[in-house]
Amino acid sequence: EPEVTQTPSHQVTQMGQEVILRCVPISNHLYFYWYRQILGQKVEFLVSFYNNEISEKSEIFDDQFSVERPDGSNFTLKIRSTKLEDSAMYFCASRQGTGGAYGYTFGSGTRLTVV
Amino acid sequence: QKEVEQNSGPLSVPEGAIASLNCTYSDRGSQSFFWYRQYSGKSPELIMFIYSNGDKEDGRFTAQLNKASQYVSLLIRDSQPSDSATYLCAVNGIQGAQKLVFGQGTRLTINP
């Protein structure tokens, strides 16, 4: 069964450093998403991406964050100048289409720890 | 008002019994409704989704949707200890947006 692949599985970074989280969505999917989950809290939407541009972003997704699809297969989330409160699990998801009949497939996540 | 609400639990069910998980949502225009299972430290794993009123069955799982009551539920028949996890309800199409909005999850424990 096709999978969404995320790397790395765990990243530790110092506060103030930049990190790039990588995702390879399912090949025939067109809609891409980043979510995060702070330990013990609910899964929160960060950003959606379609046709090489951001479709929607949440209040969390401020100027510190950016997304890119550099080569037609990878989908990246960059966090500039990380803060302690950025420590969370980050999940990439993809979807083949919109509308009620299409599910969202999540990757295995990247655990980001900011120290 | 929270967009997607679930009882956080924990919900404890004996092995072999039916586990019933409930979820309500605030936006009457929501389009589709998802149930995910999440083990501790892992990513959400899709169990099933539903977008029409009524019941949808997949193996031991049945999703029920009542749009008039803005209510969706998941029944797990013949519960197994391996079903012990946090179950996330997620709604697509709140305020017309194509994204998932999650509830806080219900922690389910199946007791042998």
Side-chain angles (χ1 to χ4, degrees):
Chain A
E1 187 169 332
E3 291 183 341
V4 175
T5 304
Q6 287 187 248
T7 55
S9 57
H10 190 189
Q11 176 140 11
V12 180
T13 189
Q14 292 207 329
M15 189 169 53
Q17 296 298 302
E18 174 182 287
V19 295
I20 298 176
L21 310 184
R22 303 182 191 279
C23 170
V24 179
I26 294 172
S27 61
N28 64 344
H29 285 193
L30 301 175
Y31 299 84
F32 314 116
Y33 306 83
W34 284 101
Y35 286 80
R36 80 171 185 190
Q37 187 176 31
I38 295 170
L39 185 65
Q41 298 187 21
K42 67 179 182 179
V43 179
E44 301 175 289
F45 168 77
L46 291 178
V47 65
S48 58
F49 192 87
Y50 169 70
N51 200 26
N52 284 320
E53 60 182 25
I54 290 174
S55 307
E56 183 178 350
K57 56 185 180 180
S58 71
E59 292 178 353
I60 303 168
F61 195 89
D62 59 20
D63 292 344
Q64 179 193 11
F65 294 89
S66 62
V67 289
E68 206 175 40
R69 188 159 163 79
D71 57 13
S73 60
N74 290 284
F75 178 50
T76 62
L77 174 69
K78 182 188 293 186
I79 310 174
R80 287 181 282 275
S81 189
T82 49
K83 308 170 192 168
L84 293 176
E85 54 264 38
D86 294 328
S87 295
M89 283 287 287
Y90 288 80
F91 298 112
C92 174
S94 68
R95 195 181 190 205
Q96 186 175 7
T98 59
Y102 294 98
Y104 293 73
T105 303
F106 281 78
S108 55
T110 294
R111 181 178 299 281
L112 177 65
T113 303
V114 182
V115 297
Chain B
Q1 183 184 10
K2 291 183 182 177
E3 292 176 304
V4 181
E5 289 203 60
Q6 296 180 255
N7 187 327
S8 60
L11 176 65
S12 186
V13 172
E15 184 176 357
I18 296 175
S20 177
L21 303 159
N22 305 314
C23 173
T24 58
Y25 58 95
S26 61
D27 186 351
R28 192 171 291 278
S30 301
Q31 296 175 336
S32 48
F33 309 87
F34 297 75
W35 283 101
Y36 285 87
R37 177 172 60 197
Q38 188 177 36
Y39 294 111
S40 181
K42 302 296 184 182
S43 67
E45 173 192 1
L46 181 65
I47 298 172
M48 61 192 308
F49 63 93
I50 185 169
Y51 52 88
S52 299
N53 268 332
D55 294 0
K56 179 181 178 182
E57 187 174 316
D58 185 359
R60 296 188 295 113
F61 300 95
T62 299
Q64 299 175 316
L65 175 61
N66 184 327
K67 288 187 178 180
S69 300
Q70 295 173 237
Y71 176 91
V72 58
S73 64
L74 179 71
L75 301 177
I76 307 174
R77 288 181 298 282
D78 189 23
S79 298
Q80 302 297 310
S82 58
D83 294 327
S84 298
T86 297
Y87 287 80
L88 309 178
C89 173
V91 177
N92 179 66
I94 287 183
Q95 297 181 341
Q98 291 297 322
K99 65 181 183 187
L100 285 181
V101 177
F102 283 84
Q104 71 269 35
T106 297
R107 183 166 179 82
L108 174 67
T109 300
I110 307 299
N111 299 309

